[in-house]
Amino acid sequence: MMISQTPNMFLIIFIFTTFVCLSSSSSIPTQYSILGPNLDKLPSQDEALQLFQLWKKENGRIYKDLEEMAKKFEIFLSNLNYITKSNAKRRSSSTYLLGMNKFADWSPKEFQKTYLHGHDMPKQLGHVKQNNLSYAGPVSLDWRRRGVVTGVKDQANCGSCWAFSATGAIEGINAIATGKLISLSEQELVDCDPKSYGCDGGWPSNAFDWVLSNGGIALETDYSYNAIGSTCYASQVSNSASINGYENVYPSDDGLLLATYLQPISVAIDASDFQFYSGGIFDGPNCATDSQYVNHAVLIVGYDSVDGEDYWIVKNSWGTNWGINGYIWIKRNAGLPYGVCAINEWAYYPTKKQSASRNPSISFM
């Protein structure tokens, strides 16, 4: 069943008259509340319009005129259909859920243009193949609990995920090495990294290269984020953190597990289906199982399991009002050549010298 797509002029009149009627009373059934992820049944068009009104209020949406609002309502209806159909197919309580989040009036094309940028893949660094890996670490780990992960940030309407993934990895290794967690500047990377494309995408590896050549990176408070590319002024601010280099993670489930046990890991992934994620273990049903294609960069900060399913704890950069307070759980040990949506293939970690060896419980056989 699809909610009907109403002709535009009639829809404008319908929205106007319905909003006037709804302003004095009426409430949507609780099972359709956008405050929760339980959208697994299609509402009527009247109920969908009430949902739209509530969603607009909660997200502070103001449209320039009724015509724009009608267009956005049509997109909202289409997304609502997609979300309810997807949720109705859930196999278990741990299966991922979709919800009407802050992107509910964005078409997939609009979303991809702003947030998802696929560029030429960088060359992988050389790494020795490790056939037998012995892991003696815990069955679950969360670097947030160890005080090496900053709060979830928001890249806003700028395709700068690569910079947030890179700073997150540097923040992590710097906190592990120094015992002090500091928030680093994504804007400095957006403005200054010549190999990347600012708000039009880039690679964490290029960001690491720039930090190495610059001798470090500034604090967030010294070079604040504004979500647009501008003139680089790195020479006018002090570096507050540095790295000694960076490495590829061996591209496998075990390789990524061992690396994550050492520190938070920067990864690239195909995030084409991330738009409405709201909870559960994401298994990338629309990602090609044999593809290395990626269009988004995030940060793995740990791993865990629920109901027998293993997952990565992944920090995103779309604010706390997306996903699980800004995070997504991505299935691991899926038996796929590159992991779910290629999460195993493009993983990096920055290095920083420390006075003592770490994590002796990991051994390579």
Side-chain angles (χ1 to χ4, degrees):
M1 173 184 174
M2 288 282 289
I3 297 174
S4 61
Q5 300 298 304
T6 313
N8 204 43
M9 184 53 67
F10 178 77
L11 187 58
I12 292 173
I13 298 171
F14 177 70
I15 288 175
F16 177 76
T17 55
T18 305
F19 273 14
V20 170
C21 293
L22 291 176
S23 61
S24 59
S25 63
S26 184
S27 61
I28 59 174
T30 56
Q31 71 265 31
Y32 298 132
S33 174
I34 63 173
L35 300 178
N38 299 315
L39 287 168
D40 55 6
K41 180 181 178 182
L42 288 173
S44 68
Q45 188 139 345
D46 281 350
E47 291 166 344
L49 192 54
Q50 293 176 59
L51 274 173
F52 184 56
Q53 184 185 34
L54 176 60
W55 177 88
K56 281 172 64 268
K57 181 179 180 180
E58 291 187 345
N59 288 274
R61 283 291 200 276
I62 299 174
Y63 303 118
K64 63 181 180 181
D65 52 35
L66 280 173
E67 185 173 1
E68 182 186 21
M69 185 163 63
K71 178 182 177 181
K72 288 297 186 178
F73 179 57
E74 287 188 281
I75 294 172
F76 185 90
L77 283 180
S78 177
N79 290 334
L80 184 58
N81 274 293
Y82 172 74
I83 288 168
T84 51
K85 285 186 174 182
S86 176
N87 287 347
K89 297 176 183 177
R90 295 181 74 221
R91 302 182 305 276
S92 69
S93 59
S94 62
T95 302
Y96 76 96
L97 277 165
L98 304 182
M100 298 298 282
N101 59 22
K102 63 181 179 178
F103 301 124
D105 67 343
W106 288 38
S107 70
K109 185 176 181 180
E110 290 173 318
F111 181 79
Q112 183 163 358
K113 183 178 179 180
T114 300
Y115 285 99
L116 308 179
H117 300 272
H119 291 289
D120 293 337
M121 307 301 183
K123 291 182 179 179
Q124 290 281 36
L125 302 175
H127 43 58
V128 177
K129 186 173 182 178
Q130 297 154 337
N131 291 315
N132 299 301
L133 305 178
S134 177
Y135 178 65
V139 295
S140 65
L141 179 146
D142 190 337
W143 281 108
R144 293 173 295 180
R145 297 176 183 172
R146 303 190 181 193
V148 305
V149 181
T150 57
V152 171
K153 304 178 184 181
D154 193 343
Q155 67 188 75
N157 293 350
C158 170
S160 54
C161 60
W162 58 276
F164 286 83
S165 178
T167 57
I170 298 172
E171 289 165 352
I173 191 58
N174 185 71
I176 291 169
T178 68
K180 183 180 180 181
L181 178 62
I182 56 176
S183 183
L184 300 174
S185 174
E186 294 79 24
Q187 190 65 45
E188 187 172 29
L189 296 175
V190 170
D191 292 347
C192 304
D193 176 8
K195 294 182 182 178
S196 294
Y197 304 90
C199 283
D200 292 321
W203 281 91
S205 56
N206 290 340
F208 297 145
D209 281 332
W210 184 85
V211 172
L212 286 167
S213 66
N214 189 58
I217 183 171
L219 284 171
E220 184 96 48
T221 52
D222 291 340
Y223 202 132
S224 58
Y225 188 67
N226 59 26
I228 57 173
S230 54
T231 302
C232 175
Y233 61 90
S235 62
Q236 301 174 39
V237 294
S238 299
N239 292 327
S240 294
S242 62
I243 57 176
N244 300 115
Y246 66 98
E247 302 289 344
N248 283 131
V249 176
Y250 182 70
S252 70
D253 289 313
D254 289 340
L256 196 51
L257 180 66
L258 288 165
T260 303
Y261 182 43
L262 296 175
Q263 64 194 83
I265 304 297
S266 171
V267 294
I269 192 168
D270 179 0
S272 300
D273 278 348
F274 277 22
Q275 184 173 353
F276 303 116
Y277 171 83
S278 67
I281 300 175
F282 180 79
D283 58 3
N286 296 318
C287 290
T289 59
D290 59 350
S291 174
Q292 295 173 280
Y293 173 77
V294 292
N295 52 23
H296 188 52
V298 289
L299 185 74
I300 296 179
V301 302
Y303 53 88
D304 206 342
S305 303
V306 61
D307 295 335
E309 284 199 80
D310 300 330
Y311 63 89
W312 302 110
I313 304 169
V314 180
K315 180 186 181 184
N316 202 356
S317 52
W318 295 343
T320 57
N321 55 350
W322 174 89
I324 307 171
N325 298 317
Y327 284 82
I328 180 172
W329 294 354
I330 297 178
K331 186 176 177 64
R332 62 186 177 94
N333 294 328
L336 301 175
Y338 304 111
V340 169
C341 297
I343 194 171
N344 294 348
E345 186 65 12
W346 306 98
Y348 302 88
Y349 61 94
T351 58
K352 189 176 180 71
K353 291 180 181 178
Q354 299 175 83
S355 58
S357 61
R358 51 183 179 168
N359 297 320
S361 57
I362 291 181
S363 61
F364 295 86
M365 308 300 290

